[in-house]
């Protein structure tokens, strides 16, 4: 688990991990095509991401466009070799069959955020065109902000996120891995919800699943909040201190097709706290006391990526693996 070490203030500039809340997001996961040509094209592309984001973003200055790019463990070795981020590994699976946080393929993650979907869409178009046939996009989700910051299951999502200096301390790598300071780890999972079953619960029963009230988003009193509630199982401590992660989940879906989803995305200074939360949710704390949200939600993808600092991302273009 992450120890909160002081950040080196001379550390490289992070990518837009701390981006303020936006109303739209586009999530794209791609796999790298085999061969040296594909790898060298992706490396060269790393130096273009910031410039493309500036070019598209400038057209709507109030649109708050940002782009974060992360790399999976195997892709890191193929593309950039040594040194590698200290805690980067493949997505660790948790939970029994039927309630499993499963790993799915993914070498490159793009998390594009803006206050207008046209900005996300245009930047994704430009980035994909620059990548050409060096990658295969295997998952692409357009997320939208739903009423007052609510997830698709109707509860306000993101309330307990850290803010300000704490958000930086919990998400940005510091002196513990000096070659990668200014970086971050990001874990994504695409969830699909059984809304018919969820909506069949009373509001009070839903509140016991989440551990907060639905309308007013207040934490349930400890005396009534079940230890299996989502908020109980995702609250973790180390050395008596709460360890937080930074989430920016987005609803998505196709009502006509009966698809209702949450794209879960969380940034942290190490994968460990997010993995601890996944273990608590899927296996249970203690084992068997799992997150009842999973009776109504299935994770259909899972990926872990390292997000280099903005400076390193640009410099990676010149790396030789
Ligand atoms: C089905 C997908 C998910 C949905 C719909 C969901 C929704 C929510 C909601 C409504 C809250 C309460 C408000 C808030 O503080 O944000 C919450 C809290 C939280 N969730 Fe999730 N969540 C999902 C998956 C996850 C996963 C996979 C993790 C971690 C691996 C996670 C970590 C957290 C954390 C850390 C909190 C704050 C707990 C606290 O400090 O009280 N969530 N989530």
């Amino acid at each position: 688990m992450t120890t909160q070490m002081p950040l080196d203030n001379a550390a490289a500039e992070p990518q837009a991990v701390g981006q303020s809340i936006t109303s739209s997001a586009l999530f794209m996961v791609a796999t790298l095509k085999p061969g040296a040509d594909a790898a060298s094209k992706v490396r060269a592309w790393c130096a273009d991401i910031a410039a493309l984001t500036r070019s598209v973003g400038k057209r709507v200055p109030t649109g708050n466009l940002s782009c974060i790019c992360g790399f999976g463990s195997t892709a890191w070795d193929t593309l950039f070799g040594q040194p590698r981020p200290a805690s980067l590994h493949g997505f660790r699976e948790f939970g029994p069959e039927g309630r499993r946080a499963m790993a799915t393929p993914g070498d490159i993650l793009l998390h594009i955020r803006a206050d207008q979907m046209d900005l996300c869409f245009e930047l994704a178009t430009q980035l994909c065109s620059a990548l050409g046939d060096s990658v295969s996009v295997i998952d692409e989700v357009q997320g939208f902000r739903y009423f007052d910051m609510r997830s698709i299951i109707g509860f306000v999502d993101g309330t307990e996120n850290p803010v300000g200096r704490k958000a930086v301390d919990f998400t940005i790598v510091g002196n513990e891995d000096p070659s990668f300071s200014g970086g971050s780890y990001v874990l994504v999972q695409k969830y699909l919800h059984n809304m018919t079953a969820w909506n069949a619960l009373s509001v009070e029963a839903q509140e016991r699943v989440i551990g907060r009230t639905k309308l007013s988003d207040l934490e349930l009193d400890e005396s009534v909040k079940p230890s299996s509630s989502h908020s109980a199982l995702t609250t973790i401590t180390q050395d008596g201190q709460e360890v937080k992660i930074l989430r920016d989940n987005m609803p998505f879906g196709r009502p006509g097709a009966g698809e209702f989803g949450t794209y879960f995305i969380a940034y942290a200074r190490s994968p460990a706290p997010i993995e601890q939360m996944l273990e608590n949710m899927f296996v249970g704390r203690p084992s068997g006391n799992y997150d009842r949200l999973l009776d109504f939600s299935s994770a259909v993808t899972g990926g872990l990526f390292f997000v280099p600092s903005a400076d390193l991302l640009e410099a990676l273009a010149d790396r030789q693996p």
Side-chain angles (χ1 to χ4, degrees), residues 3 39 50 67 82 88 93 108 132 141 147 166 175 213 224 228 245 261 272 283 288 293 313:
T3 309
C67 173
Q82 294 293 334
L88 183 59
E93 299 199 341
I108 298 174
V141 171
F147 298 109
K166 278 211 159 97
N175 291 335
T213 57
V224 291
S228 62
I245 61 174
V283 177
L293 182 54
L313 180 63

Side-chain angles (χ1 to χ4, degrees), residues 179-224:
S179 312
F180 295 97
S181 66
S184 189
Y185 293 86
V186 59
L187 189 144
V188 294
Q189 287 180 299
K190 184 159 114 175
Y191 282 90
L192 297 176
H193 305 287
N194 180 344
M195 290 303 287
T196 310
W198 177 250
N199 287 329
L201 292 185
S202 65
V203 167
E204 291 72 20
Q206 292 181 350
E207 291 178 338
R208 285 193 293 275
V209 171
I210 298 296
R212 304 183 71 92
T213 57
K214 192 168 184 181
L215 181 65
S216 50
D217 184 31
L218 298 173
E219 193 176 352
L220 293 189
D221 191 82
E222 289 302 326
S223 60
V224 291

Side-chain angles (χ1 to χ4, degrees), residues 151 153 155-160 189 191 193 210 212 217 230-231 234-235 242 244-245 247 249 262 264 274 277-278 281 293 297:
S151 58
I153 57 167
F155 282 73
V156 176
D157 196 0
T159 314
E160 295 296 341
Q189 287 180 299
Y191 282 90
H193 305 287
I210 298 296
R212 304 183 71 92
D217 184 31
H230 181 63
S231 70
T234 52
T235 299
E242 195 172 339
K244 296 214 170 214
I245 61 174
R247 297 162 288 129
N249 301 349
T262 298
F264 170 79
I274 319 180
M277 291 173 190
L278 284 180
M281 288 174 64
L293 182 54
S297 319

Side-chain angles (χ1 to χ4, degrees), residues 127-148:
L127 289 168
C128 287
S129 147
L131 280 168
D133 60 3
S134 58
V135 301
S136 309
V137 174
I138 53 168
D139 193 32
E140 188 173 351
V141 171
Q142 295 190 9
F144 57 89
R145 198 63 70 189
Y146 193 44
F147 298 109
D148 21 274

